[in-house]
Amino acid sequence: MTRPVLLSEHSRIALMHESGLTPPRKAPQFIAAFVSTLSAVCLGMVFSWSSSAIPILEKEFAITTAQGAWVGSLVTLGAFVGAIPAGPMAQLTGRKRALQILIIPLLSSWILIAFFCKYIWVLYIARFLAGISSGGISVAAPMYVTELAHVSIRGTLGTFFQVQITIGILFEYLLGDIISDIRTLSLISAVLPVVFLLSFAFIPESPVYLCEKAKLQDAQRSLLWFRGKDYEIDDELVKITEDIEESKRNKTKLFEIFKCKATYKGLIISFGLMAFQQLSGVNAVLFYTNKIFQQSGGSLSPGQCSILVGAVQVFATLGSTLLIDRAGRKILLVLSDLVMCISLAGLGLYFYLSEFMDLAAYSFIPLMSVALFIVFFSIGLGPIPWMIVSEIFSPKTRGVASSISASLNWFLAFLITNQFANMISAIGIGPTFMGFSVLCGLGTGFIVILVPETKGLSTEEVANILVGRKAPSPAGEKCNKMTTLV
């Protein structure tokens, strides 16, 4: 099979103009992606809250180190639970309705913390509820954005989720630096879920979901809203409908899907990327940023260091929106994991040597190492694994695969964040970061050997790469029907 020539976005739009067709409007799609991923800003605020709040809780309510570890890590345990049913839930209720439902536990968690934070068991419940929302949103929000986006800007809009998470992380760092009262901090944090609910009410449902439910008139109105009233939607609507019908005709049981070589190789890749993303220690770094800088003894306060790191993460993730569709996925993943390995080795070595000598003159090393770690995580290992999951699986297997992959991601995040304090107590902060560095090195090798480059490839072409075939063969026809979008 000859690979089709892939036109750039500008070439496609120019071709539409030459043909007398109106290209799709981008503004409504950007607005919808931005509003829907305000839910991701809420997630980011949940993640970085621990960094500012746990020191306050230890001081005001005398919570122990072990209790603080549970307050930080129960979010990720809840996310593991929330991610499992999120795909089927989005399929049943719709992507929009699922996101609206999922934000409610997160909003409730802030209210519980604000008024009952002196009770440790209430903190546990609140953080677990926030985690359930986080896991579900991490599945439903990217699915919604992918389905509303026109192919010409799908890659760019696909990075919105990760960008918005980093904005939420930075926002909570800023709040935590100026607010030392848990109740006030939590009530202000509760405002954004309300803003999301009010603004998202005016955005249409996914046209793909509406077609699945045979609501064709609603699907037409949705597409016209996203593409503009002058855009010819008929071809796109027909393509969506044909894809859905093909998926229904080829519907198989779950265990039969995993018999296909392309699917289980895709699962190995997605599981590996999700595992190495969390085994890099990123959530431990984000959850305990203040404590890391507290131990470094630098001239900047821990809060100021956290804000700098958060700002760096936002700008680095914004930069990834420009690089992903230009440099390619694999090269960014390799570069990301390799630099993360080096920066964590430097951080671990600094803390290890600081136990034997005075390193006050080198107190800039932790800030520089963490900033470097966050920058390269944000341009590679942060956003790209989520994107690759949507690129290596067919629409039929994507929902299940996304839920399973997200669940693995959050379960490992729970283990790391929950045991981070125990690892520091057992072996020290230096060796702990050196261990994360070794895992990043192993992750780099995994990417180089097993992860394919998916830039500019169709789902069928990716499936062919996974089974080691340059072009579809008659013998692989059944597998192709299971793994590709026709």
Side-chain angles (χ1 to χ4, degrees):
M1 182 179 73
T2 304
R3 182 179 167 182
V5 177
L6 298 172
L7 299 176
S8 68
E9 178 188 343
H10 294 296
S11 299
R12 282 192 292 267
I13 292 175
L15 187 60
M16 294 184 78
H17 279 302
E18 290 172 9
S19 305
L21 299 173
T22 304
R25 290 186 62 201
K26 294 180 182 178
Q29 298 174 68
F30 274 88
I31 291 170
F34 174 80
V35 172
S36 64
T37 55
L38 283 177
S39 58
V41 180
C42 299
L43 265 61
M45 295 174 71
V46 167
F47 298 155
S48 56
W49 177 84
S50 301
S51 183
S52 305
I54 287 178
I56 300 173
L57 291 169
E58 289 175 340
K59 182 179 179 181
E60 292 188 7
F61 302 108
I63 69 168
T64 65
T65 300
Q67 289 172 330
W70 278 104
V71 169
S73 62
L74 272 171
V75 167
T76 48
L77 183 61
F80 163 69
V81 174
I84 295 171
M89 178 183 177
Q91 197 68 26
L92 179 66
T93 66
R95 289 39 158 171
K96 177 180 176 179
R97 183 61 57 83
L99 284 169
Q100 290 171 319
I101 294 171
L102 285 165
I103 205 70
I104 299 299
L106 192 150
L107 175 60
S108 302
S109 73
W110 290 127
I111 304 301
L112 286 172
I113 292 171
F115 293 102
F116 304 101
C117 59
K118 65 180 180 179
Y119 303 107
I120 189 66
W121 62 271
V122 175
L123 285 176
Y124 289 164
I125 292 171
R127 295 292 283 170
F128 188 76
L129 285 173
I132 289 174
S133 290
S134 301
I137 289 169
S138 70
V139 174
M143 189 184 301
Y144 177 79
V145 172
T146 297
E147 292 180 354
L148 72 86
H150 188 268
V151 65
S152 61
I153 56 172
R154 188 170 292 158
T156 300
L157 295 187
T159 62
F160 271 39
F161 185 76
Q162 187 69 24
V163 171
Q164 295 278 57
I165 287 178
T166 63
I167 290 172
I169 289 171
L170 174 59
F171 187 49
E172 195 71 17
Y173 280 157
L174 288 167
L175 287 177
D177 193 53
I178 60 177
I179 299 171
S180 58
D181 177 63
I182 291 292
R183 181 175 183 177
T184 304
L185 181 64
S186 301
L187 288 175
I188 293 175
S189 300
V191 171
L192 197 64
V194 176
V195 172
F196 166 73
L197 280 172
L198 293 175
S199 57
F200 196 42
F202 299 97
I203 307 296
E205 175 59 89
S206 154
V208 174
Y209 170 76
L210 293 170
C211 284
E212 286 177 346
K213 298 302 179 182
K215 298 179 179 179
L216 296 183
Q217 289 187 342
D218 290 337
Q220 287 176 328
R221 283 192 287 267
S222 176
L223 267 180
L224 284 172
W225 195 96
F226 290 126
R227 306 290 185 260
K229 63 180 181 178
D230 297 323
Y231 178 71
E232 178 53 61
I233 64 168
D234 288 349
D235 288 346
E236 188 171 354
L237 200 61
V238 168
K239 184 67 169 64
I240 292 172
T241 305
E242 287 177 349
D243 293 341
I244 293 168
E245 290 302 318
E246 181 67 23
S247 293
K248 288 179 180 178
R249 285 194 296 270
N250 292 326
K251 190 173 183 179
T252 56
K253 295 179 180 178
L254 185 62
F255 74 90
E256 292 176 339
I257 291 174
F258 297 139
K259 288 181 179 179
C260 180
K261 185 178 180 180
T263 304
Y264 73 71
K265 284 193 73 174
L267 285 172
I268 291 171
I269 291 166
S270 63
F271 287 178
L273 287 175
M274 292 300 185
F276 284 114
Q277 184 194 73
Q278 289 305 325
L279 293 175
S280 70
V282 62
N283 274 313
V285 172
L286 291 175
F287 278 40
Y288 301 101
T289 303
N290 275 8
K291 284 197 170 185
I292 292 170
F293 291 125
Q294 214 167 32
Q295 287 194 244
S296 72
S299 56
L300 292 176
S301 72
Q304 290 171 328
C305 289
S306 297
I307 290 168
L308 280 175
V309 168
V312 164
Q313 187 178 22
V314 171
F315 286 110
T317 310
L318 285 170
S320 74
T321 64
L322 302 175
L323 292 172
I324 282 176
D325 282 330
R326 288 171 172 78
R329 281 63 158 152
K330 183 165 183 172
I331 185 64
L332 288 179
L333 282 171
V334 172
L335 181 64
S336 169
D337 220 3
L338 183 60
V339 176
M340 288 164 62
C341 172
I342 296 168
S343 61
L344 286 176
L347 185 65
L349 186 62
Y350 171 87
F351 280 118
Y352 179 74
L353 294 176
S354 66
E355 297 177 9
F356 307 102
M357 60 184 74
D358 182 12
L359 296 179
Y362 303 96
S363 60
F364 63 90
I365 289 178
L367 177 59
M368 185 178 70
S369 297
V370 171
L372 198 63
F373 173 88
I374 291 298
V375 165
F376 280 87
F377 175 84
S378 300
I379 66 171
L381 205 59
I384 294 179
W386 300 99
M387 184 177 293
I388 285 183
V389 168
S390 69
E391 292 179 331
I392 62 177
F393 295 107
S394 71
K396 186 177 64 174
T397 59
R398 193 174 296 148
V400 175
S402 296
S403 290
I404 297 173
S405 300
S407 295
L408 173 66
N409 185 290
W410 289 117
F411 179 70
L412 290 173
F414 163 70
L415 288 180
I416 296 297
T417 52
N418 183 259
Q419 293 302 312
F420 182 63
N422 291 336
M423 286 189 287
I424 290 175
S425 299
I427 62 175
I429 191 169
T432 297
F433 281 116
M434 288 179 187
F436 287 139
S437 173
V438 171
L439 290 169
C440 285
L442 293 174
T444 304
F446 173 85
I447 293 164
V448 169
I449 296 168
L450 290 177
V451 178
E453 176 57 70
T454 60
K455 173 190 172 186
L457 299 181
S458 67
T459 312
E460 182 179 5
E461 289 171 313
V462 174
N464 287 332
I465 291 173
L466 293 178
V467 298
R469 193 171 59 236
K470 292 185 177 180
S473 65
E477 188 64 28
K478 182 178 178 181
C479 185
N480 274 339
K481 284 184 179 181
M482 295 172 64
T483 59
T484 62
L485 172 65
V486 267

